[in-house]
Amino acid sequence: MLPRNFPPPQTCRPDHIGGGSGASESRLPQRLSFGQAKLVGTEDDRGGTVSNGPTTPTMDPAAAPVALRDDMSPYEAATYFFHSAADRLNLNDDMRAVLSTSYRELAVQIPVRMDNGRLEVFRGYRIQHNGARGPYKGGVRYHESADLDEVRALAALMTWKNALIDVPFGGAKGGVQCEPGVLSREELQRLTRRFTAMISYVIGVHRDIPAPDMGTNAQTMAWMMDAYGQKYGYEPAIVTGKPVELGGSPGREEATGRGVVICAREAAKRIGLDWKRARIVVQGFGNVGYWTSAIAHELGATIVAVSDVGGGTYHPAGLDVEKVKEHLKEAISVATYGGGQNISNEEMLELDCDILIPAAINGVINTENADRVRAKLVVEAANGPTTPAADQILQERGVTVAPDILANCGGVTVSYFEWVQNIQQFRWELDTVNFELKKRMKKASQQVFSYAAERELSLRDAAFDISVQRVAHAAEIRGYV
Ligand code: NAD
């Protein structure tokens, strides 16, 4: 059934938005009084647009439902799942209006002098979706598709993810629309420093803490920390996912992949799938895809195929994940790995396997292929890999889907541990990090499974219901709504 208030309409109701989401927010006007930026949709003096207002489309109770489409934007897809939960929970219109829009959206211009002397101007965003449960938290993505709509969607997903794994954060996301693969290291550093300076007015150790996402990594976080530190002094907790030498947490680099595997194993148990006999396909061989494959393999499962943007490699008897990784030292894609058969990204998703793990981009499982997915279990390591329409098809076909907001929350969990360690100036051992991660991932997975079983819901619906209730409750008891 379509959610009552879907699609998100164009009407804005300023009385519902922008009231500040917590004590930490009270510092913003003070900073702004130094003339560094202006609020409410105005141009700031460095070319950015800071908006405290309701710039995301909000709901119109009279809006007619539309058919689910594959070409829904990432934001439409994310709000679709939210509105479905809001319907099931009978969320009132005031709360719906607040939770279906971003709290603050900052769009900035990032002029970068390229190595060839030319000036290129990039577009960057930091979107803070909801801060009822704590400071905003979410990664920064460098990708050509990272536009306002995509970053908005990812910010909202962070709110739900952080609530589900029960870390004391709200949700945010950053993005720069660029092709990181074609930029030199120096260009990337200049872009990162400029972007950090531009968003520095709205981030802070107790306000908003960025982390890596697609196209960014520990090095990017080191540059962000340094650029922020040049302006505000040494603050390692300003970003997470830093190199360990600069205050990063042991275990953070592999945390998202480790969490994906913990969730996959719990879900496999639930559907009676023997892990040691499981044949797994992983799309994407970056940070999350590689670590997911490596840890799943180490724990006895068979990785039959992996891929990246250049294509995939398949071996029905199993790939040696470390050898594939080794191959990437010389090659630009896993597709040319000699120990497997070359396969396209489209074919990958339809392979005969037990567990399919999309770990790259959004929308790859859609109405074109959902009927042909042969896995019994889909574990969403990427954000938004399944369109709402495909999600319905998978549900009807009895394919279990461990949703993104559950499956990939290991990264933000260890980011939380890193933030805690930075604030306390006390480093944890790797064993402690992994123990705490496992404990939290298992607990969240079990909560979702029980909720789903009790109410006969899909795991995604159960995960959204739990998260939305937690965030709505926090907003209510703070007096925010
Ligand atoms: P990454 O940049 O390290 O790797 C991305 C991988 O996806 C690369 O192998 C790339 O070649 C591949 N890829 C890109 N476009 C593709 C396409 N069209 N088809 C197939 N493969 C493609 O990024 P990452 O950090 O591993 O993130 C991957 C996904 O996981 C993203 O959706 C991200 O939002 C999500 N995620 C990441 C983290 C984290 O901690 N890094 C946490 C939670 C969720």
Side-chain angles (χ1 to χ4, degrees):
M1 204 178 71
L2 286 160
R4 181 162 59 94
N5 290 314
F6 192 79
Q10 305 306 314
T11 354
C12 295
R13 299 199 298 190
D15 50 316
H16 287 105
I17 322 279
S21 61
S24 62
E25 292 304 320
S26 64
R27 285 186 290 152
L28 186 62
Q30 194 190 331
R31 273 200 186 166
L32 293 169
S33 69
F34 294 108
Q36 294 167 326
K38 294 174 197 152
L39 284 177
V40 194
T42 54
E43 283 288 299
D44 75 11
D45 52 0
R46 286 167 175 82
T49 305
V50 180
S51 166
N52 245 6
T55 49
T56 38
T58 184
M59 46 127 234
D60 170 5
V66 292
L68 291 177
R69 311 177 324 266
D70 269 342
D71 63 351
M72 284 162 110
S73 73
Y75 175 72
E76 285 178 316
T79 41
Y80 171 83
F81 291 128
F82 162 73
H83 282 297
S84 304
D87 282 358
R88 283 187 299 277
L89 300 169
N90 281 323
L91 215 62
N92 68 46
D93 285 353
D94 291 352
M95 190 63 81
R96 229 183 236 265
V98 167
L99 300 186
S100 61
T101 53
S102 320
Y103 170 65
R104 178 183 292 131
E105 301 187 336
L106 172 63
V108 296
Q109 179 191 59
I110 315 165
V112 179
R113 185 69 60 192
M114 307 304 276
D115 292 347
N116 62 9
R118 211 166 29 86
L119 187 86
E120 198 148 321
V121 180
F122 296 92
R123 201 75 187 146
Y125 305 95
R126 186 72 187 171
I127 312 273
Q128 297 167 341
H129 174 257
N130 186 280
R133 288 174 46 92
Y136 301 98
K137 182 94 188 79
V140 174
R141 173 175 287 197
Y142 287 178
H143 196 267
E144 58 267 35
S145 71
D147 59 9
L148 181 58
D149 184 278
E150 181 172 291
V151 182
R152 250 180 204 159
L154 292 166
L157 286 178
M158 286 308 301
T159 298
W160 311 130
K161 193 181 301 184
N162 292 340
L164 189 63
I165 196 66
D166 203 13
V167 290
F169 291 132
K173 202 80 181 189
V176 177
Q177 211 161 3
C178 67
E179 280 184 77
V182 303
L183 300 180
S184 71
R185 184 182 162 89
E186 290 68 32
E187 289 166 343
L188 278 171
Q189 177 166 184
R190 289 195 286 275
L191 179 142
T192 301
R193 288 183 175 279
R194 194 68 183 253
F195 176 60
T196 308
M198 301 299 285
I199 66 165
S200 63
Y201 315 113
V202 298
I203 61 174
V205 170
H206 296 284
R207 176 178 295 158
D208 182 354
I209 309 110
D213 189 68
M214 202 150 85
T216 57
N217 54 26
Q219 177 60 77
T220 322
M221 294 305 112
W223 291 329
M224 286 191 84
M225 179 186 104
D226 192 65
Y228 187 86
Q230 282 181 331
K231 214 167 168 186
Y232 298 102
Y234 179 64
E235 290 277 19
I238 186 61
V239 288
T240 57
K242 300 175 291 289
V244 176
E245 304 88 307
L246 296 182
S249 178
R252 172 62 184 89
E253 191 194 320
E254 65 266 37
T256 307
R258 188 172 295 283
V260 169
V261 174
I262 297 167
C263 175
R265 278 161 59 97
E266 293 300 306
K269 254 188 259 167
R270 184 174 187 260
I271 62 168
L273 185 66
D274 179 0
W275 182 260
K276 302 249 163 166
R277 297 167 75 94
R279 293 160 306 141
I280 303 182
V281 168
V282 182
Q283 185 190 50
F285 203 67
N287 171 287
V288 179
Y290 162 68
W291 282 108
T292 297
S293 311
I295 296 167
H297 178 68
E298 187 186 302
L299 293 175
T302 304
I303 308 298
V304 292
V306 298
S307 74
D308 57 29
V309 70
T313 181
Y314 167 59
H315 198 304
L319 295 164
D320 184 328
V321 176
E322 289 314 315
K323 282 199 177 144
V324 181
K325 177 82 173 167
E326 192 68 23
H327 171 74
L328 281 185
K329 285 190 179 154
E330 305 293 326
I332 56 165
S333 171
V334 298
T336 52
Y337 174 64
Q341 171 192 329
N342 180 241
I343 186 170
S344 73
N345 264 298
E346 291 71 34
E347 289 167 324
M348 289 268 301
L349 300 169
E350 300 172 17
L351 279 175
D352 179 24
C353 66
D354 300 301
I355 306 178
L356 173 61
I357 307 188
I361 55 165
N362 62 293
V364 293
I365 304 178
N366 48 52
T367 52
E368 295 290 310
N369 58 15
D371 267 333
R372 295 194 297 273
V373 166
R374 287 152 86 186
K376 301 170 190 73
L377 173 63
V378 173
V379 183
E380 295 185 334
N383 283 308
T386 312
T387 67
D391 193 54
Q392 221 161 59
I393 296 172
L394 294 178
Q395 252 190 73
E396 281 159 17
R397 293 186 50 224
V399 178
T400 300
V401 180
D404 46 8
I405 61 170
L406 172 66
N408 71 30
C409 64
V412 74
T413 306
V414 177
S415 272
Y416 165 56
F417 301 158
E418 181 173 328
W419 182 74
V420 168
Q421 291 172 70
N422 291 155
I423 289 171
Q424 297 187 338
Q425 299 194 14
F426 182 81
R427 177 162 297 168
W428 298 5
E429 297 290 331
L430 177 61
D431 285 352
T432 310
V433 170
N434 286 342
F435 174 79
E436 290 291 329
L437 171 64
K438 192 169 182 178
K439 196 170 79 182
R440 284 171 185 260
M441 286 295 310
K442 279 183 133 180
K443 185 173 170 192
S445 301
Q446 290 310 330
Q447 281 173 344
V448 171
F449 299 163
S450 308
Y451 191 100
E454 280 159 22
R455 292 162 181 82
E456 296 187 4
L457 291 174
S458 71
L459 298 185
R460 188 187 315 278
D461 287 349
F464 266 85
D465 283 12
I466 295 171
S467 302
V468 171
Q469 286 178 81
R470 286 180 183 168
V471 177
H473 182 61
E476 195 177 330
I477 56 179
R478 287 175 80 126
Y480 185 55
V481 179

